[in-house]
């Protein structure tokens, strides 16, 4: 058995944490600074993680490699399994021409790309996050925005930034449920605090999205629909998470936010030519002086049956995921899950208790990728795609994603090595030792966990119990810091190498993960600072009244 050490470097927690951070720092510097392609940066970061685990942290080579293998398998299934099947659905709609029909349909509701960003990236993305999570919203929403004419880089940035406010309650509230399980705190208590933090993000993110699409002018001209959408989303997420059902929080918020947006007259006004040009070219709307960017075919009328078919793939995805949450169906799907001891791995936490990573769970049916596959098969029938053509498109999707698959598997392998060797725990204990500054740094710890793993669920499992222990030692509210871990974590998702790769793969930006990182990192840090200040205020008399 390998027992994790918290202070292997010179018996110093700070030095150990500094060394432990090297793998993630390596990846981020390679991506954002040196501009190395992600499918090279990921394996290099993994090699650094293996060396740190083996040398200063003393993890046996066999167990180090075994933990990396487990992370790589998790990267393939369920993470890339979801992405491959989601993009397969998209490719079939492109093949049959129905994505053009969908684009024209959205354009007839509003040809304003700022409103389209709110409808697709924020509202529909939140619905996909509620039902699936694990990268599906970024993959699907970014390609939908590109199909509407968005510049690929702008589409990816908008999809990444939008995928924040719903994450804590995503995948039927899996992150919050996991947080309650690992901390021992009541689910209702933890969820109610999260539901008093992330809705505050929902007030800001829609305004940020319209600014990303069209600069200051976008904010000046569409702040009303953006604010109405954000308020409706925030109120619904707060109300449902606190008083109705944690699992339904994001579903209700996404639907109510969309209804509120549609009800705003300003959302249906025709967009000026410069606004559409900004979205198409990727140039800030403030910097454009030209007239309408023509060449679009939004005025073309499509037969109603074709319009219905164009919406069918996404309606099928929502329907399949919703049916999968019904009690008996959920239990039936869960029976296909295989749980077993991972070979050549025997790790104990610093307290001597075996870690959960020794056991691996393989949800063959109860996973988002399999459900999207089912929806994809139904899509092929609805869109009248021949079996041979559907299989050809699936194979082509895998080939197109080969570099993304390498990146995601290597990044997840890196995350598992850091987690199981004790590197992540060392960083967590270093942050938790902040004393009076713990309330401010608590969201940072969650942010770091998601930046490494790409999953709020994983960050909660990793640091949730640590946050509660530190809170009790420092006299702060355990529920507050546990919730802060999840709420801060959602802001690390947009800079996770895993999600950056998914976004690039979805919109055809092969090897440009570093460009995306440089664009979203300032927003990730700015929103993280806002969340840190919220948690500090909630730990004091300023906003302490917000806590249940």
């Amino acid at each position: 058995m390998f027992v994790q050490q918290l202070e292997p470097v010179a018996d110093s927690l700070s030095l150990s944490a500094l060394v432990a951070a090297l793998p993630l720092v390596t990846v981020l510097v390679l991506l954002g600074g040196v501009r190395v392609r992600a499918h090279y940066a990921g394996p290099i970061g993994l090699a650094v993680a293996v060396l740190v685990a083996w040398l200063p942290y003393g993890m046996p080579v066999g167990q180090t490699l075994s933990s990396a293998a487990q992370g790589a398998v998790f990267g393939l299934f369920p993470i890339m399994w979801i992405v491959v099947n989601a993009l397969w659905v998209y490719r079939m709609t492109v093949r049959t021409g129905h994505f053009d029909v969908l684009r024209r349909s959205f354009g007839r509701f509003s040809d304003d790309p700022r409103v389209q960003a709110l409808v697709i990236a924020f509202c529909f993305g939140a619905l996909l996050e509620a039902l699936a999570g694990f990268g599906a919203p970024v993959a699907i929403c970014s390609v939908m925005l590109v199909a509407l004419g968005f510049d690929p880089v702008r589409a990816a940035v908008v999809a990444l930034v939008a995928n924040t406010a719903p994450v804590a309650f995503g995948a039927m509230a899996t992150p919050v449920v996991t947080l309650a399980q690992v901390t021992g705190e009541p689910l209702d208590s933890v969820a109610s605090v999260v539901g008093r933090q992330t809705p505050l993000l929902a007030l800001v993110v829609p305004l940020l999205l319209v600014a990303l699409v069209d600069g200051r002018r976008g904010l000046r001209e569409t702040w009303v629909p953006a604010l109405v959408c954000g308020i409706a989303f925030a109120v619904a997420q707060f109300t449902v998470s606190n008083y109705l059902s944690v699992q339904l929080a994001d579903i209700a918020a996404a639907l109510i936010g969309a209804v509120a947006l549609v009800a705003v007259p300003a959302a249906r006004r025709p967009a000026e030519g410069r606004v559409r040009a900004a979205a198409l070219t990727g140039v800030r709307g403030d910097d454009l002086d030209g007239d309408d960017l023509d060449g679009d075919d939004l005025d073309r009328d499509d037969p109603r049956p074709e319009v219905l078919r164009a919406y069918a793939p996404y309606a099928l995805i929502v329907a399949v995921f919703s049916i999968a949450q019904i009690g008996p169906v959920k239990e039936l799907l869960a029976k296909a899950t295989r749980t077993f001891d991972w070979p050549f791995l025997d790790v104990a936490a610093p307290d001597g208790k075996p870690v959960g990573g020794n056991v691996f769970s393989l949800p063959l049916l109860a996973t988002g990728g399999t459900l999207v596959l089912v929806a994809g098969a139904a899509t092929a029938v609805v869109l009248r795609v021949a079996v041979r053509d559907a299989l050809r498109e699936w194979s082509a999707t895998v080939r197109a994603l080969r570099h993304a698959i390498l990146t995601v598997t290597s990044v997840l392998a890196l995350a598992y090595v850091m987690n199981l060797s004790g590197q992540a725990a060392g960083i967590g204990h270093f942050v938790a030792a902040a004393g009076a500054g713990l309330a401010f740094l608590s969201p940072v710890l969650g942010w770091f966990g998601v930046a490494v793993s790409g999953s709020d669920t994983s960050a909660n499992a990793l640091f949730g119990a640590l946050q509660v222990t530190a809170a009790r030692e420092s006299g702060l509210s355990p529920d507050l810091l546990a919730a802060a871990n999840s709420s801060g974590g959602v802001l690390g998702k947009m800079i996770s190498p895993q999600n950056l790769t998914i976004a690039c793969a979805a919109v055809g930006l092969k090897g440009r993960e570093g460009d995306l990182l440089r664009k979203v990192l300032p927003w990730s840090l700015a929103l993280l600072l806002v969340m840190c200040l919220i948690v500090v205020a909630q730990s004091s008399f300023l906003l302490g009244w917000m806590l249940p």
Side-chain angles (χ1 to χ4, degrees):
M1 176 180 288
F2 166 69
V3 180
Q4 296 174 349
Q5 303 177 62
L6 296 178
E7 302 176 354
V9 181
D11 293 326
S12 169
L13 184 58
S14 58
L15 288 177
S16 300
L18 184 63
V19 171
L22 286 176
L24 182 62
V25 171
T26 299
V27 173
L28 294 180
V29 169
L30 288 176
L31 285 178
V34 187
R35 301 192 180 191
V36 173
R37 292 192 173 188
H39 60 276
Y40 295 127
I44 292 172
L46 172 60
V48 174
V50 169
L51 289 175
V52 172
W54 175 39
L55 297 175
Y57 275 80
M59 191 178 195
V61 176
Q63 297 210 48
T64 303
L65 297 179
S66 180
S67 61
Q70 184 180 160
V73 170
F74 185 76
L76 288 173
F77 193 97
I79 303 300
M80 289 308 298
W81 181 236
I82 295 175
V83 178
V84 166
N85 291 321
L87 292 184
W88 172 55
V89 173
Y90 162 71
R91 289 179 67 103
M92 286 193 292
T93 64
V94 172
R95 182 185 182 92
T96 60
H98 285 89
F99 219 114
D100 289 333
V101 178
L102 182 70
R103 175 172 57 86
R104 288 190 289 271
S105 177
F106 271 112
R108 280 188 288 272
F109 160 69
S110 175
D111 67 347
D112 191 328
R114 301 165 299 192
V115 176
Q116 292 169 347
L118 295 175
V119 172
I120 295 172
F122 189 69
C123 296
F124 185 60
L127 184 61
L128 290 175
E129 182 67 37
L131 297 171
F134 293 102
V138 171
I140 294 174
C141 292
S142 56
V143 294
M144 290 183 72
L145 291 174
V146 169
L148 287 169
F150 274 64
D151 166 72
V153 172
R154 180 151 296 178
V157 170
V158 167
L160 286 166
V161 174
N163 191 220
T164 48
V167 169
F169 296 105
M172 303 306 292
T174 298
V176 175
V177 171
T178 301
L179 183 63
Q181 290 174 343
V182 300
T183 60
E185 298 294 306
L187 175 60
D188 291 342
S189 299
V190 174
S192 65
V193 180
V194 176
R196 296 163 196 241
Q197 293 174 341
T198 56
L200 299 176
L201 291 177
L203 299 175
V204 178
V205 171
L207 297 170
L208 176 56
L209 295 180
V210 298
L212 286 171
V213 173
D214 194 31
R216 292 186 300 273
R217 185 183 60 186
L219 194 59
R220 184 175 64 251
E221 295 180 357
T222 53
W223 69 269
V224 173
L227 189 60
V228 168
C229 178
I231 291 174
F233 187 101
V235 170
Q237 191 182 60
F238 161 74
T239 303
V240 176
S241 64
N242 275 265
Y243 303 111
L244 297 176
S245 168
V246 176
Q247 287 78 7
L248 298 178
D250 275 351
I251 294 177
L255 295 177
I256 292 174
V259 169
L261 179 61
V262 171
V264 178
R268 305 181 72 90
R269 293 174 186 163
E272 296 179 7
R274 289 192 302 169
V275 175
R276 291 208 297 273
L280 283 164
T281 61
V283 179
R284 293 180 67 87
D286 300 327
D287 301 329
L288 286 170
D289 297 320
D291 295 325
D292 196 354
L293 205 102
D294 202 2
D296 202 28
D297 57 351
L298 294 177
D299 294 331
R300 175 180 169 183
D301 289 328
D302 296 297
R304 184 174 294 273
E306 294 304 305
V307 174
L308 293 176
R309 285 195 183 95
Y311 280 93
Y314 305 99
L316 286 168
I317 289 174
V318 173
V320 169
F321 275 95
S322 300
I323 292 171
Q325 300 304 322
I326 298 174
V329 178
K330 190 173 184 178
E331 293 176 3
L332 181 64
L333 295 176
K335 290 181 179 179
T337 300
R338 298 290 178 265
T339 302
F340 54 90
D341 292 332
W342 188 260
F344 310 112
L345 198 62
D346 188 11
V347 179
D351 59 5
K353 297 180 180 178
V355 300
N358 294 329
V359 178
F360 189 74
S361 182
L362 196 64
L364 298 175
L365 298 180
T367 185
T370 302
L371 298 179
V372 174
L373 180 66
V374 172
T379 294
V381 174
V382 172
L383 300 185
R384 300 170 184 170
V385 180
V387 174
R388 178 179 297 177
D389 292 335
L391 293 176
R392 187 179 293 116
E393 288 297 335
W394 194 92
S395 176
T397 303
V398 174
R399 286 198 303 272
L401 291 176
R402 60 188 183 279
H403 288 148
I405 292 171
L406 173 60
T407 301
V408 171
T409 53
S410 61
V411 168
L412 264 297
L414 176 153
Y416 271 61
V417 170
M418 289 186 67
N419 293 345
L420 291 171
S421 66
Q423 296 174 57
I427 296 171
H429 279 79
F430 173 71
V431 174
L438 183 57
F440 183 85
L441 292 177
S442 182
V444 177
L445 191 54
W447 177 86
F448 168 79
V450 176
V452 173
S453 66
S455 166
D456 199 37
T457 300
S458 298
N460 287 342
L462 183 62
F463 294 135
L466 181 66
Q467 296 268 24
V468 169
T469 300
R472 288 173 178 155
E473 292 178 355
S474 60
L476 295 172
S477 166
D479 289 340
L480 174 61
L481 294 200
N485 192 84
S486 189
S487 299
V490 306
L491 302 171
K493 197 158 188 178
M494 69 177 83
I495 68 161
S496 166
Q498 169 191 317
N499 268 21
L500 291 172
T501 300
I502 290 172
C504 284
V507 299
L509 295 174
K510 180 180 175 182
R512 296 187 60 184
E513 290 85 357
D515 293 338
L516 283 189
L517 175 62
R518 285 188 293 276
K519 288 183 177 295
V520 299
L521 180 59
W523 299 114
S524 177
L525 293 175
L527 292 173
L528 176 63
L529 176 61
V530 171
M531 182 55 64
C532 290
L533 295 176
I534 289 172
V535 174
V536 170
Q538 288 180 334
S539 69
S540 67
F541 68 93
L542 293 175
L543 293 181
W545 51 268
M546 289 184 63
L547 300 182

